[in-house]
């Protein structure tokens, strides 16, 4: 069964209307609704609730989907790599600038 991706995707590799370069091939499962969206803007536009970030205690959860192979990876695995651990697809390194939209920052107290 294919994983459902919410938001305005532009192709079957999870690129969206906001981020659609060759390396924009991940979708994030949002903690608040457990739905995959390509980006925080897609969630903001479509969801009927504010986004919640994943606390560090939950970073072992599979919450990142590779749009190329459709494999899930844990948050920890995603944050530690620049390519999919399942298929080696290159991931957008610039996404690191947006991790605070999805995951508790290292400077926030544990929750």
């Amino acid at each position: 069964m294919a994983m459902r991706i919410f938001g305005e995707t532009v192709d079957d590799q999870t690129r969206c209307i906001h981020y659609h370069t060759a390396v924009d091939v991940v979708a994030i499962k949002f903690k608040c609704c457990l739905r995959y969206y390509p980006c925080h803007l897609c969630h903001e536009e479509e969801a009927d609730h504010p986004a919640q970030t994943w606390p560090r205690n939950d970073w072992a959860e599979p919450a990142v989907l590779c749009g190329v192979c459709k494999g899930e990876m844990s948050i920890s695995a995603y944050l530690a790599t620049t390519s999919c651990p399942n298929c080696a697809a290159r991931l957008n390194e610039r996404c690191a600038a947006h991790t605070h939209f999805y995951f508790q920052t290292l400077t926030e107290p544990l929750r």
Side-chain angles (χ1 to χ4, degrees), residues 11-30:
D11 67 16
D12 65 354
Q13 292 189 339
T14 74
R15 291 178 190 90
C16 69
I17 60 172
H18 308 104
Y19 299 100
H20 44 266
T21 70
V23 291
D24 289 318
V25 293
V26 298
I28 308 290
K29 184 189 298 180
F30 278 73

Side-chain angles (χ1 to χ4, degrees), residues 37-93:
Y37 286 90
C39 77
H40 63 99
L41 298 170
C42 287
H43 182 275
E44 185 179 308
E45 291 171 1
E46 190 170 293
D48 62 357
H49 57 271
Q52 294 176 4
T53 58
W54 285 92
R56 276 184 279 159
N57 291 335
D58 290 343
W59 284 10
E61 292 291 319
V64 181
L65 182 75
C66 173
V68 176
C69 71
K70 310 304 186 252
E72 287 184 290
M73 62 191 102
S74 71
I75 297 163
S76 294
Y78 169 69
L79 293 174
T81 191
T82 57
S83 61
C84 175
N86 301 310
C87 72
R90 197 168 139 236
L91 307 177
N92 192 340
E93 295 176 37

